[in-house]
Amino acid sequence: MSIRRGLHLRIFLLLAPIALLLLTGCTTRAASPGRLFVTDETERLRQLEVAKAAAPLVQRGVKVVVLIVQRGDNNGDDLTYRLTAINQGYSSRDRIPPDAIAIYVSYEPRYAELRAGKNWSDALTDDVLTDIRTRALNPALRSDDVTDGVAETLRRFESTLMWRDIKNLIIIAIIVIIVIVVILIIVGIVRSLLSGNIQWSSGSSDDPSEDWSYSSSSRSSLWDSSSDDSRSWGSSSSDSSGGGSGSDSSSSGGSW
């Protein structure tokens, strides 16, 4: 009976931290939610659909920026200028604030760009953004349905970040399991030593294996549809270490 209780206790000690870890990871939201800022100069966006698609990202703490402009450019300078105007006080030398994700669509010229700050660029890499832009956003723009394109792009952002979180949880859970197993092995060895199941042999022998005697025991959104880019979405983040090169962020732009 005592052996079973000891086994059950070990199983509990192994599984409890993992369950707590997974529960915490699945239920924790960002301490400070992000915001949604939208400029639609074309009046093509259906506001409620975009806000609904952006809600999970906002709860995650992302500052979501959607810019649909009639006249822009095809080199990203207009996007950088507008992002700086929205987030007053943030340096124009930086391509995007670290906690922001931007969708930019210009009709003249026909150009679209996706940009992710360094808080999200580990998952939303250049290649991932290119895939989302070419497979989700551009086809909808060519079909003259910018709302579906923007909404689907936002949903793919969220699914990519969610998968990143799941992978991180799996890695942490594996580490926790390894640590617990090592601790249990150490505890078992120490208990065996104390109980006398492992003893040093007092006699000498030519066979080293005879020197040991061993008995084994048996883890919201803010909508602003105005085209006034001078409005601020809040205080700028102090977590910026990027410069003009934008090495900490990711982006993908091209014609549609």
Side-chain angles (χ1 to χ4, degrees):
M1 184 65 68
S2 60
I3 296 177
R4 290 185 178 180
R5 289 181 179 178
L7 180 60
H8 293 164
L9 179 59
R10 292 187 181 187
I11 295 175
F12 173 78
L13 292 175
L14 177 64
L15 297 180
I18 300 173
L20 180 61
L21 175 66
L22 295 176
L23 180 62
T24 302
C26 293
T27 58
T28 300
R29 289 292 184 177
S32 57
R35 299 180 71 182
L36 171 63
F37 185 96
V38 175
T39 292
D40 177 19
E41 297 177 355
T42 67
E43 298 184 354
R44 287 180 167 93
L45 282 179
R46 297 188 292 276
Q47 300 182 9
L48 293 180
E49 292 183 33
V50 173
K52 181 179 179 180
L57 291 168
V58 172
Q59 292 179 352
R60 184 182 289 276
V62 181
K63 290 178 178 177
V64 181
V65 184
V66 179
L67 301 172
I68 312 299
V69 302
Q70 191 63 47
R71 294 182 180 273
D73 62 25
N74 58 1
N75 57 22
D77 290 343
D78 184 52
L79 172 56
T80 300
Y81 171 79
R82 290 173 184 267
L83 287 172
T84 304
I86 294 171
N87 199 50
Q88 294 174 357
Y90 198 79
S91 173
S92 60
R93 293 175 298 176
D94 298 303
R95 301 165 68 234
I96 187 171
D99 53 355
I101 295 176
I103 301 175
Y104 175 86
V105 176
S106 167
Y107 278 83
E108 296 180 19
R110 290 160 64 100
Y111 176 82
E113 183 171 343
L114 307 179
R115 206 175 279 185
K118 70 176 184 178
N119 291 2
W120 323 110
S121 60
D122 61 330
L124 297 171
T125 62
D126 293 343
D127 291 340
V128 171
L129 292 180
T130 297
D131 183 73
I132 294 174
R133 179 176 59 83
T134 57
R135 293 176 178 270
L137 182 59
N138 285 359
L141 294 177
R142 289 192 288 265
S143 299
D144 197 25
D145 196 342
V146 63
T147 297
D148 282 354
V150 170
E152 180 60 22
T153 298
L154 293 171
R155 285 190 288 266
R156 295 200 182 192
F157 286 162
E158 171 61 19
S159 64
T160 300
L161 293 177
M162 182 179 295
W163 177 239
R164 178 197 65 173
D165 293 345
I166 292 174
K167 289 192 293 185
N168 289 340
L169 283 174
I170 292 174
I171 292 173
I172 294 174
I174 291 174
I175 294 174
V176 171
I177 291 174
I178 293 174
V179 171
I180 292 176
V181 169
V182 170
I183 292 174
L184 291 177
I185 291 174
I186 294 174
V187 171
I189 292 175
V190 171
R191 291 179 63 182
S192 296
L193 286 171
L194 294 177
S195 64
N197 289 336
I198 299 180
Q199 300 176 350
W200 286 100
S201 175
S202 59
S204 61
S205 172
D206 293 335
D207 185 1
S209 64
E210 294 179 2
D211 289 341
W212 284 92
S213 174
Y214 177 71
S215 298
S216 61
S217 56
S218 51
R219 209 193 11 100
S220 99
S221 67
L222 170 70
W223 180 271
D224 187 342
S225 59
S226 69
S227 60
D228 181 7
D229 291 335
S230 65
R231 297 189 61 177
S232 172
W233 60 26
S235 59
S236 61
S237 172
S238 60
D239 188 28
S240 172
S241 60
S245 63
S247 59
D248 291 327
S249 61
S250 58
S251 65
S252 172
S255 61
W256 53 271

